[in-house]
Amino acid sequence: MAKRTDLPDKISANAIKLCNESEVSPAGSDPVKVIELLEKAHKDSPESRSVAMKLAAAYSQTGSYGKAVKILESADISDEDTELGHQLANAYADRKWNKKAVSRFHACLDSNYIYPELIQDYAEFMLDNQSNSLLAEQLIKTLERISSPLEKDSAAMCLAMLYSALGDCAENNISLNISDDFLAQYLDRYPENRDKEFFILTINYLSSTPNSSSIIPITNKMFKTMSDAVPSLSSDKDFLREVADFEISLILFENDVTALTAFAMRSAKLKFAGPSDDKDNLKYLVFDAKMSIVDLLRKGPVDTESFRNRYPYLWTLISDFVDGASKTSDLRQFARENIYNDLRNASPKLMKIFEKNLSSNGYQSLKKFISIPENQIHRTPASSSKTASRKNVHMAVSSKIAPNSPCPCGSGKKYKKCCGLK
């Protein structure tokens, strides 16, 4: 499919200067000043598409949707200018002019330039307005246009939005004229598109769209279809990381932050940590989460069945520990063997993190325990062990991490909105 080439932009040097000034501090942080500068730029170069788009975006950001519509409608939108048409469709949607928004979105999707953001905005608008059938029809039509040859980014977004629509229908008991094995049917038609990168992109885009846990049975079927199409995916780290991130996105969307989900998120972040990640801090956070599970089990049984059903892949990362802790008759001994023993080869940096976060007695008890040779651990009676209790060993992470700082689990949310919820 032909891509849109750079369209001519009738903009003066003065208008360029005003636009640049609107983007830098202190003007860039003042919406009123930004609009003032862009209005001057638009007056100077009224036929400039880039100025019109910037000014309309500034109006939309301040809730002046009518002004945004007026600016964009006055621009000369050609059939080639999908981007400006896309922005006008969003402005219509913001204005609640739904028929105009649908018409403009469809015109953009019928153009020769289609890109993921356009597909996602269209899909989310249609889902918000419960136009699931029309959405599915248009997405399938678009997907067919860009599948041979495959345009990976846009085709992946089409698939992701189709599955998001299926999940929305499952959540609201709405019937849809596509089945949850759509991907299998698609690959039968386009076998050349059995591609790891394409599948990973699809999951990544699905994670970026709000979904409820009702989508899990549907996505499980999708993930299996992908693994059947490319058998190596079942053990591929990149693929499994995307599956984990998708389930984490469900946790965050539903604000389902519990001791179990925090443990799962942190375990996933540690398992898939890259060279630039702070693995020592992640190891401490996993330790912290394990201690939370032990504390929880001291109070009574933990419902793992709903977690297993809602987040099946994340459950595989924590099931051995949680099941073991749930079945043991001696949680203190279990903690020694399954938490403290893992710290025997702790790096100096990790020990510094423990020293910073644990009480003095707790840190010394931990150091003493991990210095005992492993083959002598069984000789230490549980009743006389000086292994630190929860009260001594664990200090809440929230006392060391600022509430507004990024969550250490890597979710991208603020700590107070993610793992910091207690």
Side-chain angles (χ1 to χ4, degrees), residues 25 66 109 124 140 143 154 159 172 176 205 212 252 256 294 300 315 349 365 372 380-381 405 417:
S25 296
L109 291 168
E124 292 185 353
I140 292 171
L143 185 60
S154 295
L159 273 176
N172 296 292
L176 195 60
Y205 287 147
S212 75
L252 297 176
D256 186 20
V294 170
W315 173 248
K349 181 181 176 183
S365 296
I372 301 172
T380 306
S405 63
K417 295 288 188 181

Side-chain angles (χ1 to χ4, degrees), residues 94-134:
D94 290 335
R95 198 78 169 84
K96 306 300 182 186
W97 290 353
N98 292 354
K99 288 184 179 180
K100 285 190 172 185
V102 171
S103 177
R104 179 56 64 178
F105 271 126
H106 284 177
C108 293
L109 291 168
D110 289 339
S111 73
N112 288 325
Y113 178 46
I114 300 172
Y115 47 94
E117 295 80 8
L118 166 64
I119 297 165
Q120 186 172 34
D121 283 349
Y122 167 68
E124 292 185 353
F125 167 74
M126 297 297 276
L127 288 172
D128 285 345
N129 288 280
Q130 297 185 330
S131 299
N132 304 64
S133 295
L134 182 57

Side-chain angles (χ1 to χ4, degrees), residues 304-375:
T304 59
E305 190 61 28
S306 59
F307 184 97
R308 187 196 315 257
N309 292 332
R310 290 162 75 90
Y311 316 114
Y313 178 69
L314 290 179
W315 173 248
T316 67
L317 303 183
I318 65 171
S319 58
D320 287 347
F321 180 87
V322 176
D323 280 344
S326 299
K327 294 172 183 175
T328 188
S329 58
D330 186 343
L331 278 168
R332 178 172 289 189
Q333 182 63 25
F334 179 85
R336 288 195 198 97
E337 296 174 357
N338 294 275
I339 301 179
Y340 306 141
N341 273 350
D342 291 344
L343 304 175
R344 290 186 173 282
N345 297 314
S347 69
K349 181 181 176 183
L350 179 55
M351 292 308 295
K352 285 289 186 183
I353 294 173
F354 278 112
E355 185 176 14
K356 180 180 179 181
N357 284 278
L358 305 184
S359 68
S360 177
N361 288 341
Y363 177 66
Q364 292 304 320
S365 296
L366 179 61
K367 278 184 66 178
K368 183 174 181 179
F369 178 84
I370 62 178
S371 69
I372 301 172
E374 192 168 356
N375 60 4

Side-chain angles (χ1 to χ4, degrees), residues 10-21 37-38 40-42 44-45 48 51:
K10 300 176 181 178
I11 183 170
S12 70
N14 184 53
I16 292 174
K17 180 182 177 182
L18 290 166
C19 287
N20 290 339
E21 189 178 342
L37 290 167
L38 291 175
K40 289 180 180 179
H42 187 257
D44 182 274
S45 299
S48 169
V51 172

Side-chain angles (χ1 to χ4, degrees), residues 180-195:
D180 58 7
D181 63 349
F182 178 84
L183 178 60
Q185 299 168 18
Y186 172 80
L187 293 175
D188 285 343
R189 186 169 181 181
Y190 302 101
E192 68 275 17
N193 294 343
R194 300 168 186 261
D195 179 82

Side-chain angles (χ1 to χ4, degrees), residues 61-73:
Q61 288 168 5
T62 57
S64 299
Y65 305 125
K67 288 185 177 181
V69 167
K70 185 176 180 180
I71 286 291
L72 293 168
E73 284 185 334

